[in-house]
PDB file of all heavy atoms in Angstrom:
ATOM      1  N   GLU A 632     113.436  99.067  94.727  1.00 94.00           N
ATOM      2  CA  GLU A 632     112.510  99.576  93.906  1.00 94.00           C
ATOM      3  C   GLU A 632     111.053  99.363  94.490  1.00 94.00           C
ATOM      4  O   GLU A 632     110.184 100.294  94.399  1.00 94.00           O
ATOM      5  CB  GLU A 632     112.565  98.996  92.445  1.00 94.00           C
ATOM      6  CG  GLU A 632     113.841  99.349  91.736  1.00 94.00           C
ATOM      7  CD  GLU A 632     113.864  98.667  90.354  1.00 94.00           C
ATOM      8  OE1 GLU A 632     112.801  98.154  89.861  1.00 94.00           O
ATOM      9  OE2 GLU A 632     114.944  98.677  89.725  1.00 94.00           O
ATOM     10  N   ALA A 633     110.806  98.213  94.891  1.00 93.00           N
ATOM     11  CA  ALA A 633     109.519  97.845  95.395  1.00 93.00           C
ATOM     12  C   ALA A 633     109.147  98.651  96.630  1.00 93.00           C
ATOM     13  O   ALA A 633     108.074  99.143  96.806  1.00 93.00           O
ATOM     14  CB  ALA A 633     109.404  96.357  95.802  1.00 93.00           C
ATOM     15  N   PHE A 634     110.126  98.736  97.628  1.00 91.00           N
ATOM     16  CA  PHE A 634     109.855  99.503  98.829  1.00 91.00           C
ATOM     17  C   PHE A 634     109.595 101.004  98.502  1.00 91.00           C
ATOM     18  O   PHE A 634     108.695 101.631  99.120  1.00 91.00           O
ATOM     19  CB  PHE A 634     111.122  99.366  99.739  1.00 91.00           C
ATOM     20  CG  PHE A 634     110.793 100.129 101.139  1.00 91.00           C
ATOM     21  CD1 PHE A 634     109.898  99.541 102.061  1.00 91.00           C
ATOM     22  CD2 PHE A 634     111.480 101.209 101.404  1.00 91.00           C
ATOM     23  CE1 PHE A 634     109.678 100.176 103.251  1.00 91.00           C
ATOM     24  CE2 PHE A 634     111.257 101.842 102.586  1.00 91.00           C
ATOM     25  CZ  PHE A 634     110.323 101.307 103.539  1.00 91.00           C
ATOM     26  N   ASP A 635     110.357 101.613  97.603  1.00 92.00           N
ATOM     27  CA  ASP A 635     110.066 102.940  97.157  1.00 92.00           C
ATOM     28  C   ASP A 635     108.658 103.082  96.592  1.00 92.00           C
ATOM     29  O   ASP A 635     107.976 104.122  97.004  1.00 92.00           O
ATOM     30  CB  ASP A 635     111.118 103.402  96.200  1.00 92.00           C
ATOM     31  CG  ASP A 635     111.001 104.873  95.775  1.00 92.00           C
ATOM     32  OD1 ASP A 635     111.130 105.760  96.637  1.00 92.00           O
ATOM     33  OD2 ASP A 635     110.591 105.066  94.614  1.00 92.00           O
ATOM     34  N   ALA A 636     108.212 102.189  95.861  1.00 93.00           N
ATOM     35  CA  ALA A 636     106.889 102.251  95.246  1.00 93.00           C
ATOM     36  C   ALA A 636     105.766 102.106  96.322  1.00 93.00           C
ATOM     37  O   ALA A 636     104.824 102.878  96.270  1.00 93.00           O
ATOM     38  CB  ALA A 636     106.710 101.217  94.217  1.00 93.00           C
ATOM     39  N   VAL A 637     106.042 101.209  97.259  1.00 91.00           N
ATOM     40  CA  VAL A 637     105.096 101.022  98.340  1.00 91.00           C
ATOM     41  C   VAL A 637     105.020 102.288  99.226  1.00 91.00           C
ATOM     42  O   VAL A 637     103.993 102.779  99.566  1.00 91.00           O
ATOM     43  CB  VAL A 637     105.444  99.801  99.184  1.00 91.00           C
ATOM     44  CG1 VAL A 637     104.634  99.692 100.464  1.00 91.00           C
ATOM     45  CG2 VAL A 637     105.190  98.526  98.423  1.00 91.00           C
ATOM     46  N   LYS A 638     106.234 102.861  99.548  1.00 88.00           N
ATOM     47  CA  LYS A 638     106.237 103.993 100.379  1.00 88.00           C
ATOM     48  C   LYS A 638     105.448 105.228  99.757  1.00 88.00           C
ATOM     49  O   LYS A 638     104.826 106.014 100.380  1.00 88.00           O
ATOM     50  CB  LYS A 638     107.758 104.396 100.623  1.00 88.00           C
ATOM     51  CG  LYS A 638     107.840 105.407 101.737  1.00 88.00           C
ATOM     52  CD  LYS A 638     109.356 105.524 102.159  1.00 88.00           C
ATOM     53  CE  LYS A 638     110.270 105.933 101.002  1.00 88.00           C
ATOM     54  NZ  LYS A 638     111.645 106.166 101.483  1.00 88.00           N
ATOM     55  N   ARG A 639     105.575 105.263  98.345  1.00 91.00           N
ATOM     56  CA  ARG A 639     104.871 106.342  97.704  1.00 91.00           C
ATOM     57  C   ARG A 639     103.438 106.035  97.352  1.00 91.00           C
ATOM     58  O   ARG A 639     102.704 106.888  96.858  1.00 91.00           O
ATOM     59  CB  ARG A 639     105.604 106.652  96.343  1.00 91.00           C
ATOM     60  CG  ARG A 639     107.010 107.254  96.520  1.00 91.00           C
ATOM     61  CD  ARG A 639     107.613 107.606  95.255  1.00 91.00           C
ATOM     62  NE  ARG A 639     108.024 106.475  94.475  1.00 91.00           N
ATOM     63  CZ  ARG A 639     107.382 105.993  93.359  1.00 91.00           C
ATOM     64  NH1 ARG A 639     106.271 106.512  92.940  1.00 91.00           N
ATOM     65  NH2 ARG A 639     107.922 104.865  92.700  1.00 91.00           N
ATOM     66  N   GLY A 640     102.961 104.777  97.764  1.00 91.00           N
ATOM     67  CA  GLY A 640     101.686 104.397  97.472  1.00 91.00           C
ATOM     68  C   GLY A 640     101.418 104.093  95.887  1.00 91.00           C
ATOM     69  O   GLY A 640     100.347 104.213  95.424  1.00 91.00           O
ATOM     70  N   ALA A 641     102.587 103.804  95.151  1.00 92.00           N
ATOM     71  CA  ALA A 641     102.494 103.654  93.736  1.00 92.00           C
ATOM     72  C   ALA A 641     102.162 102.193  93.442  1.00 92.00           C
ATOM     73  O   ALA A 641     102.813 101.522  92.607  1.00 92.00           O
ATOM     74  CB  ALA A 641     103.795 104.022  93.100  1.00 92.00           C
ATOM     75  N   TYR A 642     101.008 101.761  93.986  1.00 95.00           N
ATOM     76  CA  TYR A 642     100.473 100.435  93.661  1.00 95.00           C
ATOM     77  C   TYR A 642      98.973 100.522  93.996  1.00 95.00           C
ATOM     78  O   TYR A 642      98.570 101.443  94.656  1.00 95.00           O
ATOM     79  CB  TYR A 642     101.172  99.307  94.529  1.00 95.00           C
ATOM     80  CG  TYR A 642     101.034  99.364  95.864  1.00 95.00           C
ATOM     81  CD1 TYR A 642     100.167  98.414  96.581  1.00 95.00           C
ATOM     82  CD2 TYR A 642     101.572 100.202  96.785  1.00 95.00           C
ATOM     83  CE1 TYR A 642      99.939  98.458  97.937  1.00 95.00           C
ATOM     84  CE2 TYR A 642     101.420 100.343  98.082  1.00 95.00           C
ATOM     85  CZ  TYR A 642     100.614  99.395  98.711  1.00 95.00           C
ATOM     86  OH  TYR A 642     100.352  99.508 100.078  1.00 95.00           O
ATOM     87  N   GLN A 643      98.270  99.508  93.680  1.00 94.00           N
ATOM     88  CA  GLN A 643      96.828  99.622  93.949  1.00 94.00           C
ATOM     89  C   GLN A 643      96.271  98.235  94.354  1.00 94.00           C
ATOM     90  O   GLN A 643      96.849  97.148  94.091  1.00 94.00           O
ATOM     91  CB  GLN A 643      96.111 100.155  92.697  1.00 94.00           C
ATOM     92  CG  GLN A 643      96.278  99.306  91.466  1.00 94.00           C
ATOM     93  CD  GLN A 643      95.686  99.943  90.222  1.00 94.00           C
ATOM     94  OE1 GLN A 643      95.356 101.109  90.291  1.00 94.00           O
ATOM     95  NE2 GLN A 643      95.589  99.270  89.165  1.00 94.00           N
ATOM     96  N   GLU A 644      95.122  98.278  94.840  1.00 94.00           N
ATOM     97  CA  GLU A 644      94.291  97.023  95.224  1.00 94.00           C
ATOM     98  C   GLU A 644      94.241  96.132  94.058  1.00 94.00           C
ATOM     99  O   GLU A 644      94.009  96.563  92.927  1.00 94.00           O
ATOM    100  CB  GLU A 644      92.991  97.361  95.828  1.00 94.00           C
ATOM    101  CG  GLU A 644      92.192  96.243  96.228  1.00 94.00           C
ATOM    102  CD  GLU A 644      90.855  96.572  96.905  1.00 94.00           C
ATOM    103  OE1 GLU A 644      90.687  97.775  97.206  1.00 94.00           O
ATOM    104  OE2 GLU A 644      90.010  95.681  96.987  1.00 94.00           O
ATOM    105  N   GLY A 645      94.545  94.901  94.280  1.00 94.00           N
ATOM    106  CA  GLY A 645      94.494  93.820  93.184  1.00 94.00           C
ATOM    107  C   GLY A 645      95.816  93.650  92.517  1.00 94.00           C
ATOM    108  O   GLY A 645      95.921  92.691  91.703  1.00 94.00           O
ATOM    109  N   ASP A 646      96.837  94.326  92.931  1.00 96.00           N
ATOM    110  CA  ASP A 646      98.220  94.124  92.337  1.00 96.00           C
ATOM    111  C   ASP A 646      98.894  92.846  93.037  1.00 96.00           C
ATOM    112  O   ASP A 646      98.592  92.601  94.140  1.00 96.00           O
ATOM    113  CB  ASP A 646      99.142  95.367  92.526  1.00 96.00           C
ATOM    114  CG  ASP A 646      98.949  96.441  91.589  1.00 96.00           C
ATOM    115  OD1 ASP A 646      98.105  96.272  90.559  1.00 96.00           O
ATOM    116  OD2 ASP A 646      99.437  97.553  91.816  1.00 96.00           O
ATOM    117  N   VAL A 647      99.726  92.239  92.245  1.00 96.00           N
ATOM    118  CA  VAL A 647     100.579  91.213  92.712  1.00 96.00           C
ATOM    119  C   VAL A 647     102.002  91.845  92.577  1.00 96.00           C
ATOM    120  O   VAL A 647     102.512  91.946  91.468  1.00 96.00           O
ATOM    121  CB  VAL A 647     100.523  89.855  91.986  1.00 96.00           C
ATOM    122  CG1 VAL A 647     101.505  88.867  92.533  1.00 96.00           C
ATOM    123  CG2 VAL A 647      99.104  89.306  92.066  1.00 96.00           C
ATOM    124  N   ILE A 648     102.589  92.270  93.635  1.00 95.00           N
ATOM    125  CA  ILE A 648     103.874  92.888  93.613  1.00 95.00           C
ATOM    126  C   ILE A 648     104.929  91.813  93.488  1.00 95.00           C
ATOM    127  O   ILE A 648     104.948  90.908  94.199  1.00 95.00           O
ATOM    128  CB  ILE A 648     104.106  93.667  94.870  1.00 95.00           C
ATOM    129  CG1 ILE A 648     103.072  94.809  95.084  1.00 95.00           C
ATOM    130  CG2 ILE A 648     105.567  94.237  95.011  1.00 95.00           C
ATOM    131  CD1 ILE A 648     103.127  95.575  96.321  1.00 95.00           C
ATOM    132  N   VAL A 649     105.730  91.892  92.407  1.00 97.00           N
ATOM    133  CA  VAL A 649     106.740  91.029  92.055  1.00 97.00           C
ATOM    134  C   VAL A 649     108.150  91.581  92.319  1.00 97.00           C
ATOM    135  O   VAL A 649     108.486  92.667  91.759  1.00 97.00           O
ATOM    136  CB  VAL A 649     106.675  90.593  90.604  1.00 97.00           C
ATOM    137  CG1 VAL A 649     107.729  89.534  90.264  1.00 97.00           C
ATOM    138  CG2 VAL A 649     105.276  89.862  90.326  1.00 97.00           C
ATOM    139  N   ILE A 650     108.902  90.948  93.327  1.00 96.00           N
ATOM    140  CA  ILE A 650     110.248  91.402  93.519  1.00 96.00           C
ATOM    141  C   ILE A 650     111.201  90.262  93.079  1.00 96.00           C
ATOM    142  O   ILE A 650     111.206  89.128  93.701  1.00 96.00           O
ATOM    143  CB  ILE A 650     110.465  91.660  95.046  1.00 96.00           C
ATOM    144  CG1 ILE A 650     109.330  92.701  95.533  1.00 96.00           C
ATOM    145  CG2 ILE A 650     111.786  92.264  95.291  1.00 96.00           C
ATOM    146  CD1 ILE A 650     109.466  93.036  97.104  1.00 96.00           C
ATOM    147  N   ARG A 651     111.941  90.523  92.134  1.00 97.00           N
ATOM    148  CA  ARG A 651     112.837  89.494  91.575  1.00 97.00           C
ATOM    149  C   ARG A 651     114.257  89.949  91.538  1.00 97.00           C
ATOM    150  O   ARG A 651     114.616  91.053  91.873  1.00 97.00           O
ATOM    151  CB  ARG A 651     112.302  89.122  90.172  1.00 97.00           C
ATOM    152  CG  ARG A 651     112.297  90.358  89.198  1.00 97.00           C
ATOM    153  CD  ARG A 651     111.497  90.039  87.985  1.00 97.00           C
ATOM    154  NE  ARG A 651     111.440  91.083  87.130  1.00 97.00           N
ATOM    155  CZ  ARG A 651     110.695  91.162  86.024  1.00 97.00           C
ATOM    156  NH1 ARG A 651     109.906  90.092  85.693  1.00 97.00           N
ATOM    157  NH2 ARG A 651     110.655  92.267  85.168  1.00 97.00           N
ATOM    158  N   TYR A 652     115.122  89.038  91.061  1.00 97.00           N
ATOM    159  CA  TYR A 652     116.602  89.121  91.135  1.00 97.00           C
ATOM    160  C   TYR A 652     117.075  89.379  92.506  1.00 97.00           C
ATOM    161  O   TYR A 652     118.002  89.988  92.837  1.00 97.00           O
ATOM    162  CB  TYR A 652     117.022  90.314  90.167  1.00 97.00           C
ATOM    163  CG  TYR A 652     116.749  90.000  88.716  1.00 97.00           C
ATOM    164  CD1 TYR A 652     115.684  90.562  88.061  1.00 97.00           C
ATOM    165  CD2 TYR A 652     117.674  89.147  88.109  1.00 97.00           C
ATOM    166  CE1 TYR A 652     115.447  90.190  86.766  1.00 97.00           C
ATOM    167  CE2 TYR A 652     117.472  88.751  86.695  1.00 97.00           C
ATOM    168  CZ  TYR A 652     116.373  89.326  86.058  1.00 97.00           C
ATOM    169  OH  TYR A 652     116.062  88.989  84.798  1.00 97.00           O
ATOM    170  N   GLU A 653     116.307  88.684  93.516  1.00 96.00           N
ATOM    171  CA  GLU A 653     116.736  88.740  94.861  1.00 96.00           C
ATOM    172  C   GLU A 653     116.972  87.276  95.436  1.00 96.00           C
ATOM    173  O   GLU A 653     116.931  87.050  96.638  1.00 96.00           O
ATOM    174  CB  GLU A 653     115.621  89.392  95.664  1.00 96.00           C
ATOM    175  CG  GLU A 653     115.508  90.909  95.495  1.00 96.00           C
ATOM    176  CD  GLU A 653     116.677  91.724  96.034  1.00 96.00           C
ATOM    177  OE1 GLU A 653     117.607  91.139  96.563  1.00 96.00           O
ATOM    178  OE2 GLU A 653     116.631  92.968  96.062  1.00 96.00           O
ATOM    179  N   GLY A 654     117.116  86.310  94.519  1.00 97.00           N
ATOM    180  CA  GLY A 654     117.365  84.943  94.890  1.00 97.00           C
ATOM    181  C   GLY A 654     118.735  84.702  95.470  1.00 97.00           C
ATOM    182  O   GLY A 654     119.502  85.715  95.653  1.00 97.00           O
ATOM    183  N   PRO A 655     119.093  83.446  95.867  1.00 97.00           N
ATOM    184  CA  PRO A 655     120.438  83.140  96.409  1.00 97.00           C
ATOM    185  C   PRO A 655     121.535  83.663  95.505  1.00 97.00           C
ATOM    186  O   PRO A 655     122.510  84.322  95.971  1.00 97.00           O
ATOM    187  CB  PRO A 655     120.384  81.669  96.552  1.00 97.00           C
ATOM    188  CG  PRO A 655     118.998  81.311  96.683  1.00 97.00           C
ATOM    189  CD  PRO A 655     118.282  82.254  95.786  1.00 97.00           C
ATOM    190  N   ARG A 656     121.535  83.406  94.231  1.00 97.00           N
ATOM    191  CA  ARG A 656     122.493  83.802  93.277  1.00 97.00           C
ATOM    192  C   ARG A 656     122.275  85.295  92.805  1.00 97.00           C
ATOM    193  O   ARG A 656     123.210  86.000  92.659  1.00 97.00           O
ATOM    194  CB  ARG A 656     122.514  82.813  92.149  1.00 97.00           C
ATOM    195  CG  ARG A 656     123.670  83.134  91.076  1.00 97.00           C
ATOM    196  CD  ARG A 656     123.710  82.089  89.932  1.00 97.00           C
ATOM    197  NE  ARG A 656     124.013  80.768  90.507  1.00 97.00           N
ATOM    198  CZ  ARG A 656     124.080  79.677  89.730  1.00 97.00           C
ATOM    199  NH1 ARG A 656     123.919  79.760  88.463  1.00 97.00           N
ATOM    200  NH2 ARG A 656     124.310  78.501  90.260  1.00 97.00           N
ATOM    201  N   GLY A 657     121.087  85.572  92.479  1.00 96.00           N
ATOM    202  CA  GLY A 657     120.805  86.917  91.855  1.00 96.00           C
ATOM    203  C   GLY A 657     120.876  88.070  92.696  1.00 96.00           C
ATOM    204  O   GLY A 657     121.078  89.132  92.241  1.00 96.00           O
ATOM    205  N   GLY A 658     120.701  87.828  94.029  1.00 93.00           N
ATOM    206  CA  GLY A 658     120.743  88.961  94.903  1.00 93.00           C
ATOM    207  C   GLY A 658     122.112  89.700  94.882  1.00 93.00           C
ATOM    208  O   GLY A 658     122.153  90.830  94.645  1.00 93.00           O
ATOM    209  N   PRO A 659     123.261  89.024  95.159  1.00 96.00           N
ATOM    210  CA  PRO A 659     123.241  87.715  95.718  1.00 96.00           C
ATOM    211  C   PRO A 659     122.861  87.853  97.252  1.00 96.00           C
ATOM    212  O   PRO A 659     122.863  88.806  97.727  1.00 96.00           O
ATOM    213  CB  PRO A 659     124.600  87.237  95.607  1.00 96.00           C
ATOM    214  CG  PRO A 659     125.426  88.502  95.384  1.00 96.00           C
ATOM    215  CD  PRO A 659     124.633  89.478  94.918  1.00 96.00           C
ATOM    216  N   GLY A 660     122.356  86.585  97.768  1.00 96.00           N
ATOM    217  CA  GLY A 660     122.092  86.536  99.139  1.00 96.00           C
ATOM    218  C   GLY A 660     120.682  86.331  99.648  1.00 96.00           C
ATOM    219  O   GLY A 660     120.465  86.149 100.835  1.00 96.00           O
ATOM    220  N   MET A 661     119.665  86.385  98.710  1.00 95.00           N
ATOM    221  CA  MET A 661     118.297  86.039  99.010  1.00 95.00           C
ATOM    222  C   MET A 661     117.837  86.900 100.237  1.00 95.00           C
ATOM    223  O   MET A 661     117.540  86.271 101.221  1.00 95.00           O
ATOM    224  CB  MET A 661     118.181  84.529  99.270  1.00 95.00           C
ATOM    225  CG  MET A 661     116.785  83.994  99.104  1.00 95.00           C
ATOM    226  SD  MET A 661     116.722  82.302  99.352  1.00 95.00           S
ATOM    227  CE  MET A 661     114.977  81.938  98.978  1.00 95.00           C
ATOM    228  N   ARG A 662     117.735  88.115 100.022  1.00 91.00           N
ATOM    229  CA  ARG A 662     117.340  89.039 101.116  1.00 91.00           C
ATOM    230  C   ARG A 662     115.842  88.764 101.492  1.00 91.00           C
ATOM    231  O   ARG A 662     114.948  88.284 100.784  1.00 91.00           O
ATOM    232  CB  ARG A 662     117.386  90.448 100.627  1.00 91.00           C
ATOM    233  CG  ARG A 662     118.826  90.944 100.509  1.00 91.00           C
ATOM    234  CD  ARG A 662     118.822  92.526 100.367  1.00 91.00           C
ATOM    235  NE  ARG A 662     118.353  92.957  99.037  1.00 91.00           N
ATOM    236  CZ  ARG A 662     118.317  94.194  98.687  1.00 91.00           C
ATOM    237  NH1 ARG A 662     118.698  95.168  99.473  1.00 91.00           N
ATOM    238  NH2 ARG A 662     117.859  94.491  97.506  1.00 91.00           N
ATOM    239  N   GLU A 663     115.584  89.117 102.855  1.00 86.00           N
ATOM    240  CA  GLU A 663     114.227  89.111 103.407  1.00 86.00           C
ATOM    241  C   GLU A 663     113.545  90.402 102.971  1.00 86.00           C
ATOM    242  O   GLU A 663     114.177  91.388 102.883  1.00 86.00           O
ATOM    243  CB  GLU A 663     114.328  88.950 104.878  1.00 86.00           C
ATOM    244  CG  GLU A 663     114.709  87.508 105.238  1.00 86.00           C
ATOM    245  CD  GLU A 663     114.672  87.368 106.850  1.00 86.00           C
ATOM    246  OE1 GLU A 663     114.445  88.402 107.510  1.00 86.00           O
ATOM    247  OE2 GLU A 663     114.849  86.249 107.333  1.00 86.00           O
ATOM    248  N   MET A 664     112.269  90.284 102.858  1.00 82.00           N
ATOM    249  CA  MET A 664     111.446  91.520 102.415  1.00 82.00           C
ATOM    250  C   MET A 664     110.590  92.090 103.482  1.00 82.00           C
ATOM    251  O   MET A 664     109.520  92.624 103.218  1.00 82.00           O
ATOM    252  CB  MET A 664     110.575  90.984 101.210  1.00 82.00           C
ATOM    253  CG  MET A 664     111.407  90.360 100.053  1.00 82.00           C
ATOM    254  SD  MET A 664     112.473  91.532  99.319  1.00 82.00           S
ATOM    255  CE  MET A 664     113.648  90.400  98.598  1.00 82.00           C
ATOM    256  N   LEU A 665     110.927  91.910 104.759  1.00 78.00           N
ATOM    257  CA  LEU A 665     110.054  92.337 105.840  1.00 78.00           C
ATOM    258  C   LEU A 665     109.815  93.885 105.750  1.00 78.00           C
ATOM    259  O   LEU A 665     108.663  94.252 106.030  1.00 78.00           O
ATOM    260  CB  LEU A 665     110.746  92.049 107.180  1.00 78.00           C
ATOM    261  CG  LEU A 665     109.825  92.487 108.398  1.00 78.00           C
ATOM    262  CD1 LEU A 665     108.475  91.967 108.396  1.00 78.00           C
ATOM    263  CD2 LEU A 665     110.637  92.087 109.640  1.00 78.00           C
ATOM    264  N   ALA A 666     110.793  94.725 105.387  1.00 80.00           N
ATOM    265  CA  ALA A 666     110.536  96.158 105.358  1.00 80.00           C
ATOM    266  C   ALA A 666     109.326  96.444 104.399  1.00 80.00           C
ATOM    267  O   ALA A 666     108.469  97.312 104.660  1.00 80.00           O
ATOM    268  CB  ALA A 666     111.820  96.864 104.881  1.00 80.00           C
ATOM    269  N   THR A 667     109.378  95.721 103.229  1.00 87.00           N
ATOM    270  CA  THR A 667     108.370  95.969 102.221  1.00 87.00           C
ATOM    271  C   THR A 667     107.031  95.448 102.692  1.00 87.00           C
ATOM    272  O   THR A 667     105.957  96.149 102.613  1.00 87.00           O
ATOM    273  CB  THR A 667     108.721  95.379 100.897  1.00 87.00           C
ATOM    274  OG1 THR A 667     109.900  96.004 100.442  1.00 87.00           O
ATOM    275  CG2 THR A 667     107.622  95.646  99.821  1.00 87.00           C
ATOM    276  N   THR A 668     106.981  94.220 103.101  1.00 84.00           N
ATOM    277  CA  THR A 668     105.667  93.597 103.540  1.00 84.00           C
ATOM    278  C   THR A 668     105.096  94.270 104.731  1.00 84.00           C
ATOM    279  O   THR A 668     103.858  94.470 104.906  1.00 84.00           O
ATOM    280  CB  THR A 668     105.844  92.087 103.821  1.00 84.00           C
ATOM    281  OG1 THR A 668     106.769  91.918 104.870  1.00 84.00           O
ATOM    282  CG2 THR A 668     106.369  91.342 102.602  1.00 84.00           C
ATOM    283  N   ALA A 669     105.991  94.651 105.685  1.00 83.00           N
ATOM    284  CA  ALA A 669     105.505  95.425 106.903  1.00 83.00           C
ATOM    285  C   ALA A 669     104.849  96.789 106.532  1.00 83.00           C
ATOM    286  O   ALA A 669     103.859  97.151 107.051  1.00 83.00           O
ATOM    287  CB  ALA A 669     106.559  95.556 107.920  1.00 83.00           C
ATOM    288  N   ALA A 670     105.519  97.425 105.541  1.00 85.00           N
ATOM    289  CA  ALA A 670     104.973  98.738 105.139  1.00 85.00           C
ATOM    290  C   ALA A 670     103.683  98.537 104.520  1.00 85.00           C
ATOM    291  O   ALA A 670     102.742  99.426 104.660  1.00 85.00           O
ATOM    292  CB  ALA A 670     105.924  99.322 104.129  1.00 85.00           C
TER     293      ALA A 670
END
């Protein structure tokens, strides 16, 4: 969801992008977010 919004530019300066339910249990697997941060 976050990567799609970033790719579309659906965020703005001053936002704190929150990506959740990606922890060890909730993911499961605690994914890395490099694709989103690099974008």
